[in-house]
């Protein structure tokens, strides 16, 4: 189960890397492929709803029972998750406007995208450094099985679906370097 979580983190890091490349293009004064940015943002929003939220709910519930001292960590992660999702939804709205040829200040959009990328990377780091050790320490095999049952099929199935739905995005992900975790 923890291996799946690590793999899913690696895949999210690849997504963020693709967005970072587009952000750098934009910050350099060029227009990136906004449709590809849209695909990445949509994918991450779906992923957050289908994977991150259930993960946090199951972990927080079980950790409250097993390790009440972990409540501060799980509450902070939940707060950070809500803020991250709100940032991404704002970016999504701006992308809608850009794709409809509305006038959006590109420097502001580039700055907002960079702020989101920094926040999401910090969130992944906090999960890896704060939540994963709690899972290792306080979850037994039954807990891990319950956690696995509450989550989607995992990285492999998502990447397969992504390859079919977004071939251009999948090609970018495939060519992205292995993230350092």
């Amino acid at each position: 189960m923890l291996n799946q979580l690590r793999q899913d983190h690696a895949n999210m890091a690849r997504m963020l890397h693709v967005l970072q490349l587009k952000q750098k293009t934009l910050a350099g004064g060029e227009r990136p492929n906004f449709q590809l940015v849209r695909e990445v943002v949509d994918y991450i929003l779906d992923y957050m709803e289908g994977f991150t939220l259930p993960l946090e709910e199951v972990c927080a519930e079980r950790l409250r029972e097993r390790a009440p001292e972990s409540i501060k960590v799980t509450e902070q992660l939940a707060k950070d998750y809500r803020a991250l999702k709100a940032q991404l939804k704002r970016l999504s709205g701006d992308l809608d406007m850009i794709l409809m040829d509305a006038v959006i200040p590109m420097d502001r959009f580039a700055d907002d995208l960079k702020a989101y990328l920094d926040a999401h990377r910090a969130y992944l780091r906090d999960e890896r450094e704060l939540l994963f050790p709690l899972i290792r320490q306080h979850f037994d095999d039954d807990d891990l099985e319950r956690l696995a049952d509450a989550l989607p099929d995992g990285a492999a199935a998502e990447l397969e679906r992504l390859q079919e739905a977004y071939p251009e995005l999948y090609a970018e992900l495939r060519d992205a370097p292995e993230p350092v975790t």
Side-chain angles (χ1 to χ4, degrees), residues 9-41:
H9 262 230
N11 289 331
M12 183 57 69
R14 282 188 176 102
M15 289 283 190
L16 297 177
H17 178 75
V18 169
L19 279 181
Q20 181 181 19
L21 293 175
K22 303 310 173 199
Q23 187 274 334
K24 285 181 178 181
T25 298
L26 189 57
E30 297 179 41
R31 285 183 66 90
N33 178 342
F34 282 111
Q35 188 58 47
L36 181 63
V37 174
R38 158 96 282 143
E39 291 175 4
V40 175
V41 167

Side-chain angles (χ1 to χ4, degrees), residues 1-2 4-6 8 47-59 127 132 135 139 143-155 157-158:
M1 180 65 223
L2 284 173
Q4 178 186 344
L5 292 174
R6 284 188 193 96
D8 287 336
Y47 183 87
M48 289 175 84
E49 197 63 35
F51 182 85
T52 308
L53 189 59
L55 172 68
E56 282 192 358
E57 288 172 351
V58 172
C59 287
E127 272 193 336
F132 290 6
I135 292 171
F139 279 39
D143 295 326
L144 291 175
E145 187 174 319
R146 188 169 148 229
L147 179 59
D149 289 344
L151 299 176
D153 292 335
E158 277 302 306

Side-chain angles (χ1 to χ4, degrees), residues 108-179:
R108 189 201 78 207
F109 182 78
D111 291 345
D112 290 349
L113 182 54
K114 183 176 183 333
Y116 162 75
L117 290 167
D118 292 344
H120 201 140
R121 285 191 176 106
Y123 178 82
L124 291 176
R125 185 189 63 243
D126 288 347
E127 272 193 336
R128 191 173 54 250
E129 293 175 0
L130 302 173
L131 182 62
F132 290 6
L134 289 170
I135 292 171
R136 257 191 314 276
Q137 182 180 1
H138 296 289
F139 279 39
D140 59 24
D141 290 342
D142 289 341
D143 295 326
L144 291 175
E145 187 174 319
R146 188 169 148 229
L147 179 59
D149 289 344
L151 299 176
D153 292 335
E158 277 302 306
L159 282 179
E160 185 176 316
R161 182 191 68 75
L162 187 63
Q163 182 177 7
E164 292 171 10
Y166 305 112
E168 187 176 346
L169 174 56
Y170 180 80
E172 291 260 357
L173 282 176
R174 185 189 61 230
D175 297 338
E178 184 72 27

Side-chain angles (χ1 to χ4, degrees), residues 57-82:
E57 288 172 351
V58 172
C59 287
E61 175 188 324
R62 193 62 177 155
L63 285 170
R64 270 194 297 275
E65 297 168 8
R66 293 264 172 104
E69 69 277 7
S70 69
I71 290 174
K72 184 177 177 183
V73 168
T74 57
E75 285 178 351
Q76 185 61 51
L77 284 171
K79 179 182 172 192
D80 293 347
Y81 166 81
R82 288 189 301 272

